[in-house]
Amino acid sequence: MEETLRQAWDNLFGRVDGPMSFRLIIQPVVATFLAIRAGWTDAREGRPIFFWTLARDPIQTRVMLRNLWRIAGKVFLVALVLDAIYQIIVLHWIYPVQALIVATLLALVPCMVVRAIGNRIVSMAHRRQSAENKEASRADSTDKSSEPEITHHHDNPVGLREDK
């Protein structure tokens, strides 16, 4: 058992400098790009951060995982296929668990982390913009209240506001 774990560990880290190592950069970049778009969409639609929803609302787990799969599923499948090709070329065998680990690290983890960061950034920007808009509207209403209010009463021919 110990030998198997050591071999798996060596096989996993041997991928860094072996053939097809470009995928170790390209796949997380693609997952990151897709996650940023998804995080922005989540924030614009007022949805909470993906990971927190998984942790805090187990009822939503199925929906959230389906959404994750929709976004990162293709990248995950490509990572699986490329890792299987790598294993055939270098290891002359396919180790499915190792392929799942690599695909998860290259596609799903970056997607979840970056999606949360993208959501947080856009949410903070929306809150700041909303606060600035509220301050601007308050300033506008304050400026208008200092102007005389025109009334159409017969008792006040000038049309100025009467203080009571």
Side-chain angles (χ1 to χ4, degrees), residues 35-47 49 114-130:
I36 288 171
R37 285 182 32 197
W40 289 349
T41 301
D42 289 347
R44 279 193 303 270
E45 294 176 3
R47 284 184 263 173
I49 293 177
V114 173
R115 184 177 183 175
I117 293 169
N119 182 309
R120 178 61 67 193
I121 289 169
V122 172
S123 294
M124 288 171 44
H126 278 286
R127 275 193 290 259
R128 187 169 5 128
Q129 185 179 20
S130 177

Side-chain angles (χ1 to χ4, degrees), residues 20-34 74-83 102-103 105-108 110-111:
M20 299 173 53
S21 60
F22 66 92
R23 68 193 167 80
L24 301 175
I25 295 170
I26 291 173
Q27 288 171 328
V29 168
V30 171
T32 298
F33 173 74
L34 295 172
K74 291 176 186 145
V75 178
F76 181 81
L77 291 175
V78 168
L80 275 176
V81 169
L82 289 177
D83 199 66
V102 170
L105 291 174
L106 293 180
L108 299 182
C111 188

